[in-house]
Amino acid sequence: QVQLVESGGGLVQAGDSLRLSCAASGRTFSSYTMGWFRQAPGKEREFVAAVAAITSSGSSTRYADSVKGRFTISRDNAKNTVYLQMNSLKPDDTAAYFCAASVILAATVYEYRYWGQGTQVTVSS
């Protein structure tokens, strides 16, 4: 069982930066892939980024094309926390952002078993 709590959302202007955090409970955090998804009103939940469990060779990441070069996902296993650094924010990034845990490095909602409650990000033009 993994419980996830997001924080760091807010109202910003286009071009600003924001860092989201997701704190996880449980001793098995390091073994999970952690992902970020977002959902805008009236739209389906979509993949944003994911970071795999850390191995001796590092940790793989995946990004949606819409955020590549602007967003960076990272994790700190000592703190049981995953981060999403969001730079050059656009109004289209406005959504509720959710973190989630999976056993594989995936980009689909169905592969993630545990979900947080979400944090709202609003980007004004």
Side-chain angles (χ1 to χ4, degrees):
Q1 186 78 12
V2 179
Q3 294 183 325
L4 305 171
V5 179
E6 303 94 336
S7 62
L11 172 62
V12 297
Q13 293 186 334
D16 285 351
S17 297
L18 206 57
R19 188 176 81 156
L20 305 183
S21 299
C22 174
S25 65
R27 293 176 289 180
T28 58
F29 170 79
S30 61
S31 66
Y32 285 97
T33 284
M34 298 302 298
W36 284 98
F37 289 77
R38 65 187 182 187
Q39 187 167 19
K43 295 187 177 182
E44 293 186 353
R45 192 167 297 188
E46 65 175 8
F47 172 75
V48 175
V51 57
I54 296 176
T55 66
S56 57
S57 58
S59 182
S60 298
T61 57
R62 288 183 67 175
Y63 294 92
D65 288 343
S66 59
V67 306
K68 278 182 182 177
R70 299 189 299 123
F71 291 12
T72 302
I73 188 171
S74 61
R75 66 190 300 161
D76 185 337
N77 286 344
K79 296 182 179 180
N80 275 17
T81 301
V82 60
Y83 304 98
L84 185 68
Q85 177 67 43
M86 305 185 294
N87 299 329
S88 302
L89 282 162
K90 306 175 182 179
D92 284 349
D93 295 319
T94 295
Y97 283 72
F98 300 86
C99 72
S102 172
V103 295
I104 62 171
L105 183 59
T108 57
V109 170
Y110 312 104
E111 295 290 354
Y112 286 78
R113 181 175 183 182
Y114 301 106
W115 291 85
Q117 294 299 308
T119 185
Q120 179 67 34
V121 173
T122 303
V123 184
S124 63
S125 58

